[in-house]
Amino acid sequence: MNFFSRLFGGGALRRFEHIVSEIGAHEPRLQELSDEELKTESAELRSRVQDGDKEILESILPQAFALVREVSRRTLGQRHFDVQLIGGIVLHTGKIAEMLTGEGKTLAATGPIYLNALTGKGVHVVTVNDYLARRDAIWMGQIYHFLGLSVSCIVHDAAFLYDPSFIPEEVSKSLDEERDTMGSFRVLEQFLRPITRKEAYQADVTYGTNHEFGFDYLRDNLAVRAEERVQRSYHYAIIDEVDSILIDEARTPLIIAAPDAQSSEYYKTFAKIVDHFTPEEDYLVDEKLRVVNITDAGIEKVEHALGLKNLFDSEHTRLVHFLQESLKAKTLFERDKHYIVRSGEVVIVDEFTGRTLQGRRYSGGLHQAIEAKEGVLIKDENRTHAQITIQNYFRLYGKIGGMTGTAQTSAEEFHKVYDLDVVSIPPNKPMVRKDASDAIYRTKDGKYKAVAAAVRERHEKGQPVLIGTTSISNNEVISSYLAQAGIRHEVLNAKNNEREGEIIAQAGRLGGVTVATNMAGRGVDIVLGGNPPDPEAARKVRDAGGLHVIGTERHEARRIDNQLRGRSGRQGDPGSTQFFLSLEDELLRIFGGDRIKRLMESIHFPENVPIESKMVTRAVNQSQQKVEGMNFDIRRHLLDFDDVLNKQRTALYRRRTELLKSGERGEILPVLRETLEGYITTLEERVQALPREENKEQIGKTRELIEKLKTQFKEIPDTLDPKRAHFVGQHMTRLLDSLWMEHLESLESLRDSVNIRAYGQHEPIVEYRREARDLYRQLDLHFAELLWSTIFQVFSIDLESIQNRPTQRKTPPPPQAKNIGRNDPCWCGSGKKYKKCHGK
């Protein structure tokens, strides 16, 4: 424990020491118990904490963690190290546990997951991809199932329950060997039992990606029946690779949208126009801020091409939008870096992980502009129905904890944005990896040749090499240099990520060479000697120096570089790392400043000789810090704006849920009356606030309206039958949904507008808050107005005929109806024309 003392300091240490000692004190007794006795002990713990009392949870933590440790030893053959227990304690207290790659974060999380799941409120475990959700539901599910908890996972378009009865004994025995092999999920997934999404959320422990959890939240708040909602509570979440999810993905909101069919042709037109634009003459690009602006000359070309006198007339607002998105697509988004084209479809590439984001689309028309640029089928532009940022989704939870190998460089952001503190957990075995200083070259060509030479040297002595790149295009360039040097290698990027498990599983084999984008840095350990483990091959790899990692470019976030380094030297294994850079690298070219530019122009020594300059090394670090600071500011700026929307979204969703539930309970009339009375009161207050003399005519009309509304109000029935009440609740919900969709568009336009006002010395966020509040008040008024104008028709609708229509449509047509004409009598005998009956 002296090591912990040096690492944590007195106060934290004494607490950790004390708890770990208590956990250890339970171990001898638990080892003597039978499997059934352990299960009984777990059931007794569960009965004690069903009310979720925090003090009871704290008091049983040592016993709960000791149970998990013993069951893990019996089911997985793995006993938690003390540092893994400490990581679990940190997670339970709602903090981020920074644990080095290979230190067993997944196992460390089992203690707090089990403890918090005992409350019966459900624990969500958030992973970075579907494979890990499935893998961990099976791998860790063995522990939870043994202890009487149910375990599920949600993935894209599916949900599964971990059910050991589905798993043959011989497969179960091999799980421990296969757990680190990403490709093994093809074998394992057949032993997960398909269930509904709602059932998955009823489980004690639910694994899934942040996207699945977030989109289910949005879909729940678009459901037209309460029973269609799938999530139940936001009790406790543990987020794996927390920096990737809460920081790297924080700029991209989760959006549910519906198609708007009118825009496709416009994007084709503008793609052709901007394709003939000349840089500097027709547009200006700021690569640091990732902004592009059209010049007067560019505007004239657009107006000439479209036959317009003034592009910026109010009637051409949408054309300006199409132009701006098309220009961004041309200048700021590169194929094989920001996206790939696969099977005639534009697929986004996550710039931080290198993985494809299948099904995700850029918002605001940008995706359609890229589709037009690439000449593929343009899908209809979407209108937003619901959206939320990753930050605000996770703020719904009562408590969150996070795990990652790299958090300290972003500790300030975690604390300021999420109120999450970072605690660094020591490794179980001392780190022996050797990190060499950067090798910096004058040109990219010189750098790539040096990389190939370094790889050859390591490869020939049998040392496995992992080469990390920041984009698909760089990935392929490196591959071509290795091919020219005659070095056999595997390539891993978003174009072939279906082989990710197979490639990563073998990246540590003797003499192996793997070129990978940043996807290699997350979620899966590289086992020395290859996978399945081979002790003799592993020994030879260790003797050769372990895994050698080469970075070919600095990423804009230091965390990503550290993730790449962390692939080597896991659990005390030998290993080494080095970054190869050039003065032409994007980070230095854009952010290196004038001194780097002057250095590039002044030096003339051979490109195959590395530059030894402290000034360049300093410039690299300063460039990364600049970008990190800039991105932090961007995320804070986005969050400031989204906080305004978040308050409105929370209020509206609460109101929407109450409407649905009131309708289904048959208690919609009090809600309806309250809404309409509020509208009358608002009108009366407005009239009283008007100056009398100047507004006599308007006041007179509004007195008349109020009296009419009061008369109508008396016509509202005293009771409604359950079906009618349900129908009224759904009607009110749909009205609210349509207004919310328009409100989201208004807020988007307002945001663009207030950002422009910054040039007039106005504070954008202050203007946005004030005007967004006014817009929300207008939404309230419009809702009441629409309700007044439609509610009495809703009271008189024949619900039985509505019910009959869907029933009729479900009836399959007989064979003789196959060639029926639209104006022929319908085959069902209703007497109506087919086009107005079953053909409607």
Side-chain angles (χ1 to χ4, degrees):
M1 285 294 181
N2 289 335
F3 179 64
F4 294 154
S5 181
R6 291 195 304 274
L7 185 88
F8 291 111
L13 162 73
R14 280 190 294 274
R15 183 160 181 248
F16 289 141
E17 267 188 338
H18 175 66
I19 298 173
V20 170
S21 296
E22 281 192 66
I23 295 168
H26 286 279
E27 192 165 28
R29 177 181 66 84
L30 294 178
Q31 287 179 346
E32 296 297 318
L33 299 181
S34 67
D35 287 0
E36 288 307 312
E37 287 171 325
L38 286 178
K39 291 177 181 180
T40 300
E41 186 148 330
S42 178
E44 289 171 356
L45 283 183
R46 187 165 194 168
S47 66
R48 287 178 61 188
V49 295
Q50 279 297 295
D51 60 354
D53 184 275
K54 187 178 178 182
E55 289 185 12
I56 295 177
L57 277 185
E58 299 299 325
S59 68
I60 67 167
L61 185 152
Q63 186 180 354
F65 275 47
L67 263 175
V68 169
R69 180 191 248 181
E70 176 59 23
V71 171
S72 175
R73 187 182 67 80
R74 294 189 189 189
T75 56
L76 303 180
Q78 294 182 307
R79 176 185 175 275
H80 293 63
F81 303 128
D82 283 356
V83 290
Q84 288 174 313
L85 295 177
I86 291 172
I89 296 165
V90 169
L91 290 171
H92 169 70
T93 57
K95 293 181 174 63
I96 292 173
E98 184 184 60
M99 300 178 70
L100 296 179
T101 301
E103 290 296 311
K105 295 190 293 292
T106 308
L107 195 62
T110 52
I113 291 171
Y114 169 69
L115 176 62
N116 286 271
L118 289 174
T119 62
K121 295 179 181 178
V123 173
H124 294 172
V125 189
V126 186
T127 64
V128 292
N129 59 47
D130 284 348
Y131 159 73
L132 292 175
R134 284 173 167 157
R135 183 201 73 175
D136 292 351
I138 289 179
W139 181 22
M140 299 297 108
Q142 297 172 80
I143 297 173
Y144 308 128
H145 192 272
F146 186 106
L147 291 167
L149 301 182
S150 54
V151 185
S152 67
C153 66
I154 51 170
V155 294
H156 188 59
D157 293 334
F160 301 94
L161 183 73
Y162 170 71
D163 186 346
S165 65
F166 270 47
I167 305 177
E169 188 176 349
E170 63 275 13
V171 175
S172 185
K173 287 179 181 176
S174 68
L175 275 175
D176 191 44
E177 294 179 1
E178 295 179 332
R179 67 179 182 273
D180 286 330
T181 307
M182 204 161 184
S184 68
F185 86 88
R186 292 187 178 89
V187 176
L188 301 176
E189 67 178 344
Q190 63 188 301
F191 306 120
L192 288 168
R193 183 154 60 85
I195 55 175
T196 67
R197 244 170 158 74
K198 190 165 189 171
E199 288 171 327
Y201 281 107
Q202 294 299 314
D204 296 306
V205 181
T206 304
Y207 286 88
T209 65
N210 54 305
H211 299 122
E212 297 305 316
F213 286 121
F215 279 121
D216 281 341
Y217 167 76
L218 293 178
R219 282 188 285 265
D220 276 359
N221 286 288
L222 291 172
V224 292
R225 295 176 181 273
E227 66 265 21
E228 292 173 3
R229 296 165 67 95
V230 296
Q231 292 185 336
R232 57 176 174 139
S233 66
Y234 306 96
H235 168 53
Y236 177 49
I238 286 183
I239 306 172
D240 194 11
E241 307 298 357
V242 66
D243 54 328
S244 174
I245 290 172
L246 292 190
I247 292 181
D248 297 341
E249 298 199 33
R251 278 192 285 180
T252 308
L254 304 176
I255 296 174
I256 290 180
D260 174 12
Q262 299 174 345
S263 55
S264 299
E265 291 304 316
Y266 279 117
Y267 282 115
K268 290 179 186 175
T269 301
F270 278 99
K272 291 174 184 172
I273 292 172
V274 302
D275 192 45
H276 293 96
F277 275 12
T278 305
E280 304 298 323
E281 180 186 327
D282 298 319
Y283 61 87
L284 302 171
V285 177
D286 187 324
E287 292 185 274
K288 289 184 182 179
L289 298 178
R290 290 188 59 73
V291 169
V292 58
N293 290 306
I294 191 167
T295 64
D296 289 342
I299 292 168
E300 286 180 17
K301 286 185 179 178
V302 174
E303 289 172 342
H304 178 74
L306 298 177
L308 302 176
K309 289 184 177 179
N310 184 359
L311 177 63
F312 292 92
D313 275 349
S314 57
E315 63 190 285
H316 302 319
T317 302
R318 290 205 80 193
L319 298 184
V320 176
H321 166 71
F322 296 138
L323 168 63
Q324 190 65 22
E325 297 306 312
S326 300
L327 205 49
K328 281 162 65 177
K330 171 184 170 66
T331 58
L332 300 178
F333 289 81
E334 296 177 36
R335 182 170 177 166
D336 290 342
K337 179 177 181 181
H338 300 102
Y339 64 89
I340 61 172
V341 177
R342 178 194 285 162
S343 304
E345 182 181 1
V346 171
V347 182
I348 300 172
V349 174
D350 186 324
E351 60 182 302
F352 295 100
T353 66
R355 290 187 173 95
T356 53
L357 302 176
Q358 197 69 42
R360 293 275 293 279
R361 291 176 66 80
Y362 294 116
S363 60
L366 175 60
H367 211 97
Q368 290 76 14
I370 294 173
E371 287 168 333
K373 165 189 167 184
E374 295 294 344
V376 301
L377 177 67
I378 303 174
K379 295 183 180 176
D380 293 337
E381 190 171 356
N382 291 327
R383 292 189 71 194
T384 299
H385 285 228
Q387 72 176 71
I388 192 169
T389 57
I390 292 293
Q391 293 113 313
N392 277 319
Y393 172 72
F394 283 109
R395 285 173 165 184
L396 294 169
Y397 286 84
K399 180 172 72 173
I400 58 175
M403 310 181 286
T404 181
T406 48
Q408 282 295 354
T409 55
S410 300
E412 180 188 4
E413 183 165 355
F414 281 124
H415 180 74
K416 286 184 175 178
V417 176
Y418 300 100
D419 196 25
L420 282 171
D421 293 326
V422 176
V423 179
S424 295
I425 310 298
N428 184 53
K429 295 179 182 177
M431 169 73 74
V432 296
R433 187 186 71 218
K434 297 174 183 175
D435 296 328
S437 57
D438 297 347
I440 304 169
Y441 293 80
R442 184 165 62 87
T443 66
K444 283 186 177 181
D445 182 59
K447 174 181 73 172
Y448 292 142
K449 286 175 179 173
V451 167
V455 171
R456 176 187 290 283
E457 181 186 342
R458 305 269 179 177
H459 175 66
E460 286 176 351
K461 68 175 187 177
Q463 186 175 14
V465 181
L466 172 67
I467 305 162
T469 66
T470 58
S471 68
I472 299 169
S473 51
N474 287 350
N475 185 275
E476 292 173 342
V477 168
I478 287 285
S479 177
S480 68
Y481 276 83
L482 293 178
Q484 289 170 21
I487 301 169
R488 291 187 61 187
H489 60 282
E490 285 277 11
V491 177
L492 173 60
N493 59 42
K495 291 183 176 179
N496 67 337
N497 61 351
E498 69 282 349
R499 292 187 59 228
E500 180 174 356
E502 178 188 337
I503 293 170
I504 288 296
Q506 304 307 326
R509 72 192 185 284
L510 194 67
V513 177
T514 308
V515 185
T517 49
N518 291 320
M519 60 169 56
R522 298 282 185 181
V524 182
D525 289 335
I526 295 174
V527 180
L528 298 189
N531 204 321
D534 179 340
E536 180 57 23
R539 184 189 62 77
K540 289 180 179 177
V541 169
R542 287 191 181 92
D543 290 344
L547 179 68
H548 181 63
V549 169
I550 291 177
T552 56
E553 197 169 337
R554 288 283 195 187
H555 198 277
E556 61 182 36
R558 287 169 292 172
R559 290 178 297 100
I560 311 299
D561 294 341
N562 292 339
Q563 279 282 344
L564 182 61
R565 287 192 194 277
R567 307 317 300 159
S568 176
R570 61 186 287 278
Q571 282 288 337
D573 284 340
S576 52
T577 71
Q578 187 172 26
F579 275 78
F580 286 70
L581 313 177
S582 87
L583 298 181
E584 295 177 343
D585 288 349
E586 196 168 277
L587 186 74
L588 277 172
R589 182 177 60 79
I590 298 174
F591 294 96
D594 293 335
R595 295 174 71 189
I596 292 295
K597 289 175 184 170
R598 286 197 297 271
L599 186 66
M600 287 178 69
E601 292 163 2
S602 64
I603 57 176
H604 301 292
F605 51 82
E607 63 176 22
N608 62 343
V609 177
I611 303 164
E612 304 215 354
S613 167
K614 289 182 181 177
M615 187 266 280
V616 177
T617 304
R618 264 198 316 274
V620 171
N621 293 328
Q622 288 168 356
S623 296
Q624 286 184 303
Q625 289 171 16
K626 277 183 197 172
V627 182
E628 286 173 352
M630 190 176 74
N631 287 338
F632 180 21
D633 289 342
I634 290 170
R635 287 189 290 267
R636 281 297 297 268
H637 180 72
L638 289 173
L639 191 60
D640 286 341
F641 278 84
D642 193 62
D643 279 346
V644 178
L645 171 57
N646 193 51
K647 287 173 185 171
Q648 297 184 357
R649 175 175 46 236
T650 303
L652 184 125
Y653 282 175
R654 192 185 302 119
R655 184 178 187 180
R656 187 185 189 279
T657 302
E658 182 56 32
L659 286 175
L660 277 182
K661 289 183 176 177
S662 297
E664 292 179 6
R665 291 194 304 259
E667 300 169 358
I668 196 64
L669 277 177
V671 181
L672 175 66
R673 285 199 175 95
E674 183 184 347
T675 304
L676 298 181
E677 282 175 336
Y679 181 52
I680 292 173
T681 302
T682 301
L683 287 179
E684 288 176 331
E685 288 172 352
R686 288 192 167 190
V687 167
Q688 290 169 6
L690 289 171
R692 296 285 167 188
E693 292 304 315
E694 304 96 46
N695 299 281
K696 279 183 180 178
E697 187 177 345
Q698 184 181 343
I699 290 171
K701 288 180 180 177
T702 311
R703 284 281 181 246
E704 285 179 24
L705 173 61
I706 289 172
E707 290 307 313
K708 183 180 177 183
L709 293 177
K710 285 181 177 178
T711 303
Q712 279 187 314
F713 189 80
K714 294 174 185 175
E715 297 173 18
I716 297 173
D718 294 326
T719 59
L720 292 175
D721 65 79
K723 281 186 180 178
R724 180 79 56 188
H726 189 189
F727 189 73
V728 169
Q730 288 194 324
H731 172 70
M732 293 174 73
T733 303
R734 289 191 186 100
L735 287 182
L736 203 59
D737 286 346
S738 65
L739 291 170
W740 178 245
M741 187 166 67
E742 291 173 7
H743 182 69
L744 289 175
E745 290 179 349
S746 299
L747 287 180
E748 190 66 34
S749 300
L750 172 62
R751 190 163 169 173
D752 293 339
S753 166
V754 298
N755 282 326
I756 293 170
R757 292 181 213 173
Y759 294 106
Q761 307 303 308
H762 293 279
E763 182 63 36
I765 188 62
V766 174
E767 300 268 307
Y768 183 75
R769 285 186 186 123
R770 177 172 50 78
E771 296 194 28
R773 187 167 56 246
D774 291 341
L775 284 172
Y776 194 76
R777 286 175 184 151
Q778 287 177 31
L779 182 151
D780 258 348
L781 278 175
H782 290 159
F783 177 62
E785 286 170 1
L786 282 171
L787 202 52
W788 271 113
S789 62
T790 58
I791 193 61
F792 293 100
Q793 291 98 312
V794 171
F795 287 148
S796 61
I797 283 174
D798 182 355
L799 295 182
E800 195 171 326
S801 67
I802 291 176
Q803 182 60 41
N804 288 340
R805 262 178 271 156
T807 305
Q808 278 185 350
R809 288 195 192 104
K810 289 176 185 173
T811 308
Q816 64 267 29
K818 186 176 180 182
N819 299 315
I820 194 168
R822 284 179 49 74
N823 291 308
D824 293 340
C826 187
W827 54 265
C828 71
S830 65
K832 297 179 183 178
K833 290 182 179 180
Y834 176 66
K835 69 180 180 184
K836 293 198 173 179
C837 191
H838 274 82
K840 191 174 182 179

